[in-house]
Amino acid sequence: MRIHQLEVTAFGPFSGSQRIDFDDLTDAGLFLLCGPTGAGKTSVLDAICFGLYGEVPGDRNSAKRLRSDHAAAGVAPKVVLEVSINGRRFRLRRSPAWQRPKRRGTGTTTEQARVVLEEHRDDGWLHLSSRLDETGHLVTDLLGMNVTQFTQVAMLPQGRFQSFLRARSEERHKVLQQLFRTSRFEDIERWLVSHRQSLKVADKGRQDAVAAVVSRLCEAASTDLPESWELHELAAPAESGALAEWAAELVTTAGSVRDAVGGELDEVSAHARSAREELEQARGTLDLRRRHDEAVRAQQTLADAEREAADARKRLDAARRAAVVVPLARVAGEAEAAAEQAERAVSDVLEEAAKLLDTELATLTAQRLAGAERDAHEAASIAKALLPREDELKRARQRLARAEALLDDLDTEARELRERCAALPARITTLRADLAEQESLLAQAEPLRRDEQEAVARLDTARRSLAMASELSAARESLSARVDAAQALRERMHEIRESRINGMAAELAAALGSGDSCPVCGSAEHPAVASPVAGAPAQADEEAARTAYEDADFVRQTQAEAVATIERNLAVAEQSAGGRSVADLEAALKGLRDRLEACRAAGAARERLAQQVASREKELEQVRSRSEQVQVNLAALRQESTHARATVETASVELAALFEDGEVARGVAHLIESRSAAGAAFARAREALQDRDTALARSAEARQQAHDCAAEHHFDTVQAATAAALSDHDVEALEALLRTRSDLRAHADAVLSDPKVHAAAAAPAPDLVVVTAAAADAEEALAECGARSRVSSTRAERLARLEAELTTGLEAWAPTRSAYAVARTVSTFAEGKGGDNTLQMRLSAYVLASRLKQVVAAANERLRTMSDERYTLEHSASRGVGELRGGLSLQVRDEWTGESRDPATLSGGETFVASLALALGLADVVTSEAGGSSIDTLFIDEGFGTLDPETLDDVMNTLDGLRDGGRVVGIVSHVPEMRTRVTAQLQIRKDRTGSRVVAVRETV
């Protein structure tokens, strides 16, 4: 993978758009990314990683704050990255999620993350994807590594690769697992543990099932387990077969006991049957003798009650004959009562009809009553026809009264409306004049508002000018101090350099050994070796003085740029203020605001006056419209009053002809009601006369039918038949009495005629007590023996079932027990806990240990060079202090002493060198292991400030070796000395408006 171009907008510290062309750095191979602390050196690496994967390295990704705080409100953050991967050129455009201002209204809304992936073909850029997930998968597949592997391989992160050198085995395990994607081996470990646990649960379930059967076997056989066995630890006897033999022995013993008790039961059952038969025979004889005695007593009882039976038969015969006459007698009585009721009813209604007709009762006949009824209904019909005319009269009277009342009110309202129409036009004219005056004042508001805005801007600029003048004074003082400090350090550096040059002979002499040639004259003899002067500076002192001066000079330059920036901003601000003082500008602004306030007041008055004018004009229009309407209403009311008065006079005459004297006031409805009531009274009287005649005829007919029926059934009178009648209950009682006597006689005769009854009565009575006691003893003996037989049979059957169940349980347990034993052995071995795992190393750690050996081998190739053949890394399978598992420990071997020691004992510079070698080796192995594309652009972030010049030279030589084959190495550092060692530089500057890339140049 090679990076060609990077463009960032509103990303990290970069407020605007910044473009970096990495192709310009390809020829140099090694370039420096430098700038002040916080300028954005690491943010360039973040932008590259974000462009590829949509994430930034390390903990910064969790912040989710990628948009620049210096950018304008509406500028969208964006990263555009062009890279070549496996010979294909791609362009990725990414924008993180950010809060943008709403297009309508106030506030912000969330703009979601976006991506566009394009590939350069012969005919231009071809769009590949706009989906975040799809683009991430495609980049991962092309590079052959995920974001964690990429940052470890292509971006040796700031301070992170040193932590890998000093990490514990557990921490190193996590890092290597992410890089080499060996989580499948941990998945195997977890699966083995899960498989072992599931088999353990299954084995426990099988064993518990077998234990439950064994417990029931012990309970059924009333015995205990052998002393050497444990109920929930039956694996050994189950494996040896002793458990099955023990169950079979219990079943055999129970079968023998069952057979013995069964023979005894047969003998006791035969004796019990004999005693039971003798008891049944004695009870039968006694029952026959009892039946004989009961039959004799029943015959005697029937003979004694024969007279009462004859009387019952007579009463029952008379009641059956009277039952036919009684219904007719009841009908005759009801008809007679109805005739009497009809006679009483006709007298009441005839009195009411006679009163209405004003005549005597004797003169009323059905025909006369029918004629009177017809006349009354005709009169009611005529009255109903005049009901609408009466309603019309009432409505006409109401309209007449309402019209006369409204005429007075409308006359008064018409007079008032004429007065208002005359007064309103003058009031409207006055209000319009006032409104024109306020509109003239309001027209001056907009120019005054523009003048106010300009005055406010000038006043703000003037105030900023004062603040910038104060800031400029402080900045100039700071610049002067920094110039003095830099000059002093420069003089100090020159003094040390001159002293060192003067003492260079002593320095060269200190480096000479016995027999060495002089580096100046080449002689192997040194008759007068120079001696060092006490307090003379060394090379390290000169380097320190030079570094201090360069740092101070860089700070001086930065401060000088800040002073120039403030001077430019101050000049612009003073020009914008127009040369006027803050007090003058404030006074002018106050005058403008007073005039604006007067305009605002005029605006409020104008609104009020406009509303009043509109209100008065609307009022005038409404008054005129109402006046016209009142005139129309007056004409309509006068016409309505005349028409209502004519209707009242005509209807009154028509209704007066219908009523008799004194009835007019009651109204037509009362007339209809009285005529209808009279017709109904006449109808009731007529119907009552007809009902009375019908009832008398029916009564006479019913009396004659009842008398004829009584004579037919041999009764002298109807009353005699009624007296002989009985209730249904009495009849049923007599019939039941006669049936019972007949049944008793038949039963007694049948019993006495039975030969068995005669034979039992003649034979002697048996002793039932003795026979019953003998039978009870036999039954008790049979019950006891039967219970023992059932118990032994049930026990034998249950033990047989349990033995079969145990056999099934043992067969089911055997494969589970075997599988669990194998799974437990393999799982503990893979976890590094088994006794046969002598390394006590997990499977995943063992796999990673082999990868770590490759990393150490690759790292040592560079570490030997960078440490002048002194240090090499060693992989150790032993556990470190406080570690539970080994296999991933690292030690450093010192070739000068021949001893291996912990990496924590290295100095800061040695740690950086060893960590860098380890990181480069790790990058090589990860790239090879991932099987992805080669990484042609590599970044190393910080750490060079801890190296001495010789070690730094070795490190730089090693980094130069990385450029073989066209590889580009970027060093991220703010160490001043690196700017003199690396000629190709990418500088980043920062100020209050954000960071920017100011140069990509070659330095000499």
Side-chain angles (χ1 to χ4, degrees):
M1 181 205 75
R2 181 178 297 276
I3 301 175
H4 298 289
Q5 293 180 0
L6 173 66
E7 181 181 347
V8 295
T9 303
F11 185 89
F14 303 105
S15 58
S17 295
Q18 301 294 321
R19 184 174 179 275
I20 302 174
D21 192 345
F22 287 97
D23 288 336
D24 292 343
L25 305 172
T26 301
D27 295 337
L30 184 67
F31 68 92
L32 177 66
L33 182 61
C34 60
T37 300
K41 301 185 296 297
T42 304
S43 296
V44 173
L45 308 188
D46 290 347
I48 294 173
C49 189
F50 179 78
L52 288 172
Y53 292 96
E55 299 181 26
V56 297
D59 298 334
R60 297 186 297 279
N61 188 58
S62 60
K64 302 299 183 183
R65 187 179 177 88
L66 302 179
R67 186 180 182 275
S68 176
D69 294 333
H70 300 283
V75 178
K78 181 178 64 174
V79 172
V80 181
L81 180 67
E82 289 189 25
V83 296
S84 291
I85 305 174
N86 296 333
R88 301 167 63 185
R89 185 156 180 164
F90 297 93
R91 180 168 63 191
L92 294 103
R93 302 174 184 267
R94 285 189 183 269
S95 178
W98 63 290
Q99 296 292 323
R100 65 166 177 80
K102 292 183 177 178
R103 295 186 176 91
R104 297 180 181 177
T106 60
T108 61
T109 184
T110 301
E111 188 76 19
Q112 299 299 327
R114 298 179 180 177
V115 65
V116 175
L117 175 62
E118 300 172 308
E119 182 179 3
H120 190 270
R121 301 287 178 85
D122 295 337
D123 54 350
W125 290 100
L126 176 65
H127 180 272
L128 297 182
S129 177
S130 298
R131 292 178 51 183
L132 295 173
D133 54 348
E134 186 177 24
T135 301
H137 291 318
L138 182 57
V139 172
T140 301
D141 292 340
L142 288 170
L143 291 176
M145 57 187 74
N146 56 29
V147 63
T148 303
Q149 293 172 314
F150 177 78
T151 55
Q152 188 71 39
V153 170
M155 298 179 178
L156 305 186
Q158 187 175 15
R160 289 298 181 92
F161 51 88
Q162 294 184 11
S163 62
F164 181 76
L165 175 66
R166 296 179 177 180
R168 295 163 57 88
S169 289
E170 291 83 354
E171 299 170 351
R172 196 172 289 119
H173 182 103
K174 295 178 181 178
V175 175
L176 292 174
Q177 177 183 319
Q178 285 184 326
L179 295 176
F180 293 108
R181 293 185 285 187
T182 58
S183 58
R184 59 186 180 275
F185 295 101
E186 286 197 353
D187 294 340
I188 292 173
E189 293 177 12
R190 285 191 292 270
W191 182 87
L192 288 173
V193 172
S194 176
H195 182 59
R196 181 191 68 197
Q197 291 174 347
S198 62
L199 286 177
K200 181 179 180 180
V201 172
D203 179 75
K204 182 66 167 57
R206 298 294 188 186
Q207 183 172 356
D208 290 344
V210 169
V213 176
V214 170
S215 178
R216 284 184 284 160
L217 276 168
C218 293
E219 181 267 332
S222 299
T223 185
D224 296 329
L225 277 176
E227 294 182 358
S228 59
W229 293 2
E230 179 64 31
L231 179 60
H232 294 288
E233 295 294 337
L234 297 174
E239 192 74 27
S240 64
L243 187 59
E245 294 176 358
W246 172 75
E249 184 179 352
L250 292 179
V251 172
T252 302
T253 303
S256 301
V257 173
R258 178 191 58 194
D259 296 340
V261 176
E264 183 182 355
L265 179 62
D266 294 339
E267 297 177 0
V268 175
S269 297
H271 177 67
R273 282 195 299 273
S274 176
R276 195 179 300 115
E277 292 174 355
E278 184 177 356
L279 177 60
E280 291 176 355
Q281 185 176 3
R283 287 176 176 171
T285 301
L286 291 176
D287 184 63
L288 292 174
R289 291 175 62 86
R290 178 185 57 76
R291 292 174 61 195
H292 178 271
D293 295 341
E294 289 177 353
V296 172
R297 287 195 297 273
Q299 285 184 343
Q300 185 62 39
T301 301
L302 291 173
D304 295 339
E306 183 61 31
R307 184 182 297 278
E308 296 177 0
D311 292 340
R313 282 191 286 273
K314 285 184 179 182
R315 290 180 60 198
L316 183 60
D317 177 64
R320 287 172 176 168
R321 287 185 288 109
V324 181
V325 181
V326 168
L328 294 176
R330 186 180 302 112
V331 170
E334 292 174 353
E336 185 175 358
E340 293 175 357
Q341 178 65 27
E343 188 67 34
R344 288 193 298 271
V346 75
S347 62
D348 296 335
V349 297
L350 286 178
E351 288 181 1
E352 182 181 2
K355 184 177 180 180
L356 290 173
L357 292 176
D358 193 18
T359 184
E360 297 293 334
L361 288 175
T363 63
L364 292 179
T365 62
Q367 183 176 3
R368 185 177 180 183
L369 289 171
E373 177 185 0
R374 185 172 54 255
D375 295 340
H377 287 312
E378 290 177 357
S381 299
I382 294 172
K384 287 180 181 179
L386 290 175
L387 272 176
R389 190 62 171 168
E390 184 183 37
D391 294 339
E392 183 180 0
L393 176 62
K394 291 179 181 179
R395 289 193 299 271
R397 287 172 176 171
Q398 292 174 354
R399 288 197 306 273
L400 179 62
R402 183 174 65 254
E404 291 176 350
L406 289 176
L407 281 172
D408 296 336
D409 295 339
L410 287 177
D411 286 336
T412 302
E413 184 179 1
R415 184 171 58 257
E416 293 175 352
L417 290 173
R418 286 193 296 272
E419 294 174 356
R420 291 175 64 188
C421 285
L424 282 173
R427 176 59 179 162
I428 291 173
T429 301
T430 303
L431 289 174
R432 283 178 175 171
D434 295 340
L435 176 61
E437 181 180 354
Q438 298 301 323
E439 287 179 343
S440 176
L441 285 175
L442 188 60
Q444 304 174 14
E446 187 60 29
L448 288 174
R449 190 175 294 108
R450 289 194 297 270
D451 294 343
E452 180 196 20
Q453 292 176 353
E454 294 176 359
V456 170
R458 286 194 296 272
L459 179 58
D460 291 342
T461 303
R463 288 171 177 170
R464 286 199 306 273
S465 298
L466 293 177
M468 283 189 287
S470 177
E471 184 181 357
L472 178 61
S473 177
R476 284 172 175 171
E477 292 178 1
S478 176
L479 176 61
S480 177
R482 295 181 188 278
V483 169
D484 294 342
Q487 186 64 30
L489 290 172
R490 182 173 178 276
E491 293 176 358
R492 174 62 179 165
M493 179 187 70
H494 284 260
E495 290 175 359
I496 292 174
R497 182 173 294 172
E498 290 177 2
S499 295
R500 183 166 175 263
I501 291 173
N502 294 333
M504 185 63 71
E507 186 175 335
L508 293 174
L512 289 175
S514 178
D516 293 341
S517 298
C518 177
V520 178
C521 66
S523 175
E525 297 180 358
H526 316 294
V529 179
S531 299
V533 180
Q539 183 182 359
D541 297 330
E542 181 184 358
E543 293 293 336
R546 182 170 60 83
T547 300
Y549 164 66
E550 289 179 350
D551 292 344
D553 188 59
F554 180 77
V555 172
R556 178 193 62 77
Q557 293 177 4
T558 302
Q559 186 64 27
E561 290 181 2
V563 169
T565 300
I566 296 174
E567 289 175 345
R568 289 193 299 272
N569 294 337
L570 178 58
V572 173
E574 290 176 347
Q575 183 180 1
S576 299
R580 301 177 64 182
S581 65
V582 173
D584 292 343
L585 292 173
E586 288 178 346
L589 178 61
K590 183 177 183 305
L592 286 173
R593 286 178 174 171
D594 291 341
R595 294 174 63 187
L596 268 175
E597 186 62 31
C599 290
R600 293 191 186 96
R606 188 199 64 152
E607 294 296 332
R608 176 175 52 78
L609 289 172
Q611 292 177 358
Q612 290 180 358
V613 169
S615 176
R616 294 297 179 271
E617 289 177 347
K618 183 177 180 181
E619 181 181 0
L620 178 60
E621 182 180 356
Q622 291 175 348
V623 168
R624 289 173 177 172
S625 176
R626 178 59 184 167
S627 178
E628 294 174 358
Q629 184 64 37
V630 167
Q631 296 300 325
V632 173
N633 292 342
L634 280 172
L637 282 174
R638 291 190 181 101
Q639 183 178 1
E640 182 179 359
S641 176
T642 302
H643 183 268
R645 187 175 288 107
T647 301
V648 168
E649 293 174 355
T650 304
S652 298
V653 173
E654 292 178 358
L655 290 175
L658 180 66
F659 296 97
E660 297 178 358
D661 295 339
E663 289 184 346
V664 177
R666 295 183 178 182
V668 176
H670 179 268
L671 179 63
I672 294 171
E673 182 180 357
S674 63
R675 295 298 184 268
S676 299
F682 296 149
R684 287 194 299 273
R686 177 177 53 77
E687 291 172 356
L689 284 174
Q690 295 174 351
D691 292 342
R692 183 195 62 183
D693 296 341
T694 301
L696 290 175
R698 288 178 179 173
S699 177
E701 183 180 359
R703 283 197 302 272
Q704 183 61 42
Q705 289 178 351
H707 182 270
D708 294 343
C709 184
E712 182 180 354
H713 290 83
H714 308 293
F715 289 106
D716 296 337
T717 62
V718 174
Q719 291 75 14
T722 304
L726 295 175
S727 64
D728 293 340
H729 179 269
D730 293 340
V731 171
E732 291 177 357
L734 292 175
E735 291 177 346
L737 175 63
L738 295 176
R739 279 198 306 273
T740 301
R741 287 178 57 83
S742 177
D743 293 342
L744 287 175
R745 180 175 288 107
H747 179 67
D749 293 342
V751 170
L752 293 177
S753 62
D754 188 354
K756 293 181 180 179
V757 174
H758 281 289
D767 191 348
L768 186 60
V769 176
V770 175
V771 176
T772 301
D777 293 341
E779 291 294 338
E780 183 177 356
L782 177 61
E784 179 182 357
C785 187
R788 286 190 288 110
S789 176
R790 286 192 298 274
V791 168
S792 62
S793 179
T794 301
R795 175 177 294 173
E797 293 175 358
R798 186 181 180 194
L799 288 174
R801 288 197 302 271
L802 290 174
E803 182 193 18
E805 188 175 348
L806 178 63
T807 301
T808 302
L810 289 173
E811 291 175 352
W813 184 18
T816 305
R817 185 171 61 250
S818 176
Y820 171 59
V822 174
R824 180 176 54 193
T825 302
V826 175
S827 176
T828 54
F829 181 84
E831 286 185 290
K833 298 178 181 179
D836 49 354
N837 189 335
T838 56
L839 296 177
Q840 293 293 291
M841 186 186 301
R842 295 167 54 186
L843 173 62
S844 56
Y846 180 79
V847 174
L848 291 176
S850 64
R851 299 292 190 273
L852 185 57
K853 290 178 182 178
Q854 299 174 15
V855 172
V856 169
N860 284 333
E861 293 180 3
R862 296 184 176 92
L863 182 57
R864 292 188 185 94
T865 302
M866 289 190 290
S867 65
D868 196 17
E869 300 295 333
R870 179 179 180 181
Y871 293 114
T872 56
L873 294 173
E874 292 182 341
H875 165 253
S876 175
S878 60
R879 289 180 290 177
V881 178
E883 295 181 345
L884 300 178
R885 294 286 186 271
L888 298 178
S889 298
L890 286 178
Q891 290 189 344
V892 178
R893 180 175 177 82
D894 190 345
E895 298 297 341
W896 290 3
T897 62
E899 298 292 333
S900 298
R901 49 195 172 103
D902 192 283
T905 62
L906 296 175
S907 66
E910 293 171 339
T911 299
F912 171 75
V913 171
S915 301
L916 178 59
L918 184 61
L920 293 173
L922 189 62
D924 291 341
V925 176
V926 169
T927 303
S928 175
E929 175 67 21
S933 63
S934 61
I935 304 300
D936 296 329
T937 306
L938 176 67
F939 294 92
I940 301 175
D941 193 356
E942 290 293 357
F944 297 93
T946 60
L947 305 180
D948 60 80
E950 289 79 5
T951 305
L952 182 59
D953 288 337
D954 293 336
V955 171
M956 296 304 295
N957 291 333
T958 300
L959 294 180
D960 284 338
L962 296 177
R963 296 183 294 175
D964 295 342
R967 206 173 196 183
V968 180
V969 180
I971 299 175
V972 182
S973 178
H974 56 69
V975 177
E977 187 174 354
M978 296 298 293
R979 293 198 295 272
T980 63
R981 288 181 174 270
V982 182
T983 58
Q985 297 181 4
L986 179 64
Q987 295 185 356
I988 299 177
R989 297 289 178 85
K990 67 176 182 179
D991 55 30
R992 292 186 177 182
T993 61
S995 298
R996 62 190 183 279
V997 179
V998 298
V1000 178
R1001 59 189 177 87
E1002 294 282 343
T1003 61
V1004 181

